[in-house]
């Protein structure tokens, strides 16, 4: 049946500073309405008259549906009568008794998940779920007792789905802390304590300035770049991704020739350091492993070429990544609006803990093994999150097919309830239409 036949639909209060008068009341906006719940942390107030206070009230069982923003997003108010009003960006639905409020919210969520709700929207760029369209929105009706069983079951199942989603959402932060802990152990000697004991390597680690551990530290070639694969392939800030160079995010320059760019050609083991970036991304690193085969050092990234007699490139990159995670680069950087930078002088002075080369090799092996383990967990996490995201629409679809809970032949048919409601509406006296007041005179 159409929503307009199942209850009262009322758009919210128009916000007009020149016309709004009366006592200020907090009101709901579409940003306050989330799926199946409300976020009341950022309520605003609007003056309202006593008549508006009644007309735009928020009562237990009211369903609020977003007209814009994310059209169709809906939640049922369950906290009893309140002082809240609601604005025109929201529809309020009050059931006449043929459907439970949650039934409508769950149906809207199902249609939103499977993409059929968009058919009811107007507008090409900014979508709207207008009152006229919402009144005609079709919703299947089950017997009221069955609706109650389905709603109870859905609330239980979807609560578990949300709990699972929340637990999965915490894993990336745990993996980030795990990787940082691995780097901290690796660059402090704790990761290879057993290795040193087994190999009789009791030498204390040295600490040296970064500038003394590299044979070259330089800025990139200044040349305008484009994304079209024409010209000299060059690194750019976006090329750095998770400690490696992403070959799909390189730039190309036609302002220089390959001969002119030759002094900036990458060698295997070269480390890129983001010395000019936003504060959040300052100090990101990547190590060149030979892919793509031909790549040149572009601007806005510092190139570090390690002294192979003192430090292994991978160990140096892990050390830099650890220092970034500890906030060392942010502390020595110059900060401006939306940007931070580190000059070569300060970068050269950074202290690096350095074990002997054989232990560096063992550290790199162990860190790579532990990071590979974390990568596998991330892969499994992504697969699990996809499964969880499919659960909500699957469970909702099953509910509206009548397959989620057993059906009871003793339930009063929905048609009988609807017939009684139609008879009650027909017998009720007509309400006077709202109109403009005629000025006294």
């Amino acid at each position: 049946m159409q929503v307009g036949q199942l209850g009262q639909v009322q758009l919210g209060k128009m916000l007009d500073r020149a016309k709004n008068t009366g006592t200020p009341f907090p009101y709901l906006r579409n940003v306050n309405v989330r799926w199946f719940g409300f976020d009341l942390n950022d309520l605003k107030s609007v003056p309202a008259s006593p008549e508006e206070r009644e007309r735009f009230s928020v009562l237990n069982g009211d369903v609020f549906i977003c007209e814009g923003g994310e059209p169709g997003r809906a939640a049922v108010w369950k906290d009893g009568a309140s002082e809240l009003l609601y604005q025109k960006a929201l529809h309020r639905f009050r059931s006449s008794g043929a459907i439970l409020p949650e039934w409508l919210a769950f149906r809207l969520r199902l249609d939103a998940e499977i993409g059929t709700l968009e058919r009811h929207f107007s507008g090409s760029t900014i979508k709207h779920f207008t009152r006229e369209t919402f009144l005609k929105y079709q919703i299947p009706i089950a017997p009221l007792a069955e609706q109650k069983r389905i709603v109870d079951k859905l609330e239980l199942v979807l609560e578990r789905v949300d709990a699972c989603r929340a637990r999965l959402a915490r894993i990336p932060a745990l993996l980030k802390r795990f990787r940082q802990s691995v780097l901290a152990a690796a660059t402090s000697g704790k990761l290879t304590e057993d290795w040193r004991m087994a190999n009789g390597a009791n030498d204390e680690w040295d600490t040296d300035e970064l500038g003394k551990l590299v044979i070259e530290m330089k800025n990139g070639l200044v040349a305008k770049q484009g994304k079209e694969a024409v010209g000299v392939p060059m690194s750019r800030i976006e090329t750095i991704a998770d400690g490696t160079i992403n070959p799909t995010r390189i730039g190309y320059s036609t302002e220089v020739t390959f001969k002119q760019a030759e002094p900036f050609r990458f060698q295997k083991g070269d480390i890129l350091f983001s010395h000019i970036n936003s504060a959040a991304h300052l100090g990101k690193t990547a190590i060149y492993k030979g892919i793509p085969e031909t790549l040149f050092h572009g601007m806005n990234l510092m190139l570090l070429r390690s002294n192979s007699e003192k430090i292994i490139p991978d160990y140096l990159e892990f050390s830099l990544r650890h220092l970034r995670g500890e906030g060392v680069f942010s502390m020595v950087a110059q900060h401006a609006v939306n940007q931070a930078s580190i000059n070569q002088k300060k970068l050269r002075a950074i202290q690096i803990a350095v074990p002997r080369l054989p232990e560096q090799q063992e550290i790199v092996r162990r860190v790579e093994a532990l990071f590979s383990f974390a990568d596998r967990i991330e892969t499994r996490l992504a697969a699990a999150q996809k499964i969880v995201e499919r659960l909500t629409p699957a469970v909702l679809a099953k509910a509206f097919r009548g397959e989620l809970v057993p059906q009871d032949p003793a339930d009063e048919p929905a048609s009988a309830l609807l017939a009684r409601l139609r008879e009650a509406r027909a017998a009720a006296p007509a309400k006077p239409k709202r109109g403009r007041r005629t000025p006294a005179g």
Side-chain angles (χ1 to χ4, degrees):
M1 291 191 69
Q2 294 181 353
V3 163
Q5 299 173 297
L6 299 169
Q8 178 199 63
V9 176
Q10 172 71 57
L11 269 172
K13 176 176 170 55
M14 175 73 75
L15 303 182
D16 189 332
R17 185 173 297 179
K19 296 180 180 179
N20 290 332
T21 59
T23 304
F25 288 94
Y27 67 91
L28 294 173
R29 298 172 290 157
N30 57 7
V31 296
N32 300 122
V33 177
R34 315 313 300 168
W35 278 113
F36 311 139
F38 297 85
D39 181 357
L40 305 181
N41 292 320
D42 184 28
L43 292 176
K44 298 185 182 298
S45 296
V46 61
S49 65
E51 187 272 339
E52 289 175 321
R53 176 74 189 92
E54 180 180 355
R55 185 180 181 194
F56 303 114
S57 60
V58 176
L59 301 178
N60 215 38
D62 286 346
V63 187
F64 290 94
I65 303 98
C66 293
E67 191 271 348
E70 183 186 347
R73 189 174 63 222
V76 180
W77 184 260
K78 297 183 178 183
D79 291 338
S82 73
E83 292 294 305
L84 291 172
L85 306 179
Y86 64 102
Q87 73 163 126
K88 196 175 181 180
L90 293 171
H91 301 290
R92 183 193 66 198
F93 173 82
R94 282 182 177 166
S95 175
S96 60
I99 66 169
L100 297 177
E102 295 83 0
W103 185 261
L104 173 59
F106 283 133
R107 183 66 200 196
L108 287 166
R109 179 62 183 269
L110 172 59
D111 285 345
E113 290 279 358
I114 63 178
T116 56
L117 192 61
E118 293 184 7
R119 303 171 188 171
H120 304 280
F121 301 160
S122 62
S124 55
T125 54
I126 300 178
K127 303 294 184 181
H128 292 277
F129 197 8
T130 67
R131 183 176 186 273
E132 292 74 17
T133 305
F134 181 50
L135 287 170
K136 297 176 183 177
Y137 176 68
Q138 295 279 350
I139 182 168
I141 306 298
L144 202 58
E146 185 176 351
Q147 287 184 41
K148 180 66 168 60
R149 293 194 298 273
I150 291 173
V151 165
D152 289 345
K153 185 69 172 180
L154 280 174
E155 289 180 338
L156 177 63
V157 173
L158 294 183
E159 182 181 356
R160 291 174 178 172
V161 172
D162 288 342
C164 182
R165 184 184 291 111
R167 286 194 292 270
L168 291 176
R170 290 195 291 268
I171 294 177
L174 294 175
L175 288 174
K176 182 178 180 180
R177 289 199 295 271
F178 169 76
R179 288 190 174 98
Q180 190 61 24
S181 296
V182 169
L183 293 174
T187 55
S188 67
K190 291 182 179 180
L191 187 64
T192 44
E193 283 179 339
D194 62 327
W195 182 90
R196 287 196 299 277
M197 292 180 62
N199 289 273
N202 297 317
D203 297 336
E204 292 187 2
W205 288 24
D206 295 326
T207 299
D208 215 338
E209 294 179 350
L210 175 60
K212 296 179 181 179
L213 297 172
V214 297
I215 58 175
E216 192 163 11
M217 179 185 293
K218 65 180 181 180
N219 294 324
L221 177 62
V222 177
K224 185 178 179 180
Q225 300 178 12
K227 294 182 180 181
E228 187 177 356
V230 176
V232 177
M234 303 178 71
S235 64
R236 51 187 181 136
I237 290 179
E238 295 84 354
T239 304
I240 293 179
D242 300 324
T244 59
I245 288 175
N246 186 340
T248 67
R249 292 191 174 185
I250 63 176
Y252 295 86
S253 178
T254 56
E255 288 190 348
V256 294
T257 64
F258 279 85
K259 184 176 180 180
Q260 292 170 324
E262 187 60 33
F264 296 87
R265 182 187 289 271
F266 278 112
Q267 298 178 16
K268 286 185 180 181
D270 284 349
I271 297 170
L272 282 177
F273 181 89
S274 182
H275 68 295
I276 300 176
N277 213 322
S278 64
H281 297 286
L282 181 72
K284 290 180 70 173
T285 54
I287 188 165
Y288 178 67
K289 299 286 189 178
I291 299 174
E293 185 176 350
T294 302
L295 185 65
F296 298 88
H297 177 207
M299 57 185 175
N300 295 331
L301 290 169
M302 195 88 73
L303 182 142
L304 310 177
R305 186 166 291 159
S306 64
N307 184 337
S308 59
E309 295 181 358
K310 294 183 176 181
I311 194 165
I312 296 171
D314 295 88
Y315 176 77
L316 176 57
E317 197 273 328
F318 289 149
S319 298
L320 294 172
R321 208 188 302 185
H322 167 65
L323 293 173
R324 175 174 177 261
E326 294 297 309
V328 172
F329 299 133
S330 181
M331 287 188 288
V332 301
Q334 291 181 320
H335 293 268
V337 179
N338 298 324
Q339 184 174 285
S341 62
I342 303 177
N343 58 38
Q344 281 200 28
K345 182 178 180 181
K346 290 185 177 180
L347 190 57
R348 286 182 178 277
I350 293 291
Q351 297 290 312
I352 304 290
V354 187
R356 302 291 183 245
L357 288 175
E359 187 169 358
Q360 289 183 38
Q361 293 170 344
E362 180 63 16
I363 288 171
V364 169
R365 186 190 70 78
R366 294 189 180 194
V367 170
E368 288 180 342
L370 290 168
F371 278 12
S372 178
F373 170 73
D375 291 342
R376 291 195 297 273
I377 292 178
E378 280 185 332
T379 300
R380 295 175 66 179
L381 170 63
Q385 287 176 323
K386 287 182 179 179
I387 293 172
V388 169
E389 291 308 312
R390 290 196 294 265
L391 285 177
T392 295
V395 171
L396 289 170
K398 190 173 183 179
F400 282 93
R401 290 196 304 266
E403 300 172 359
L404 189 63
V405 298
Q407 296 180 350
D408 189 344
D411 289 341
E412 179 188 45
S415 57
L417 175 59
L418 292 169
R420 285 205 312 276
L421 292 172
R422 283 194 294 268
E423 292 172 1
R425 282 198 302 269
K431 292 183 179 180
K433 293 184 178 180
R434 300 175 58 87
R436 295 183 179 179
R437 294 181 179 177
T438 303

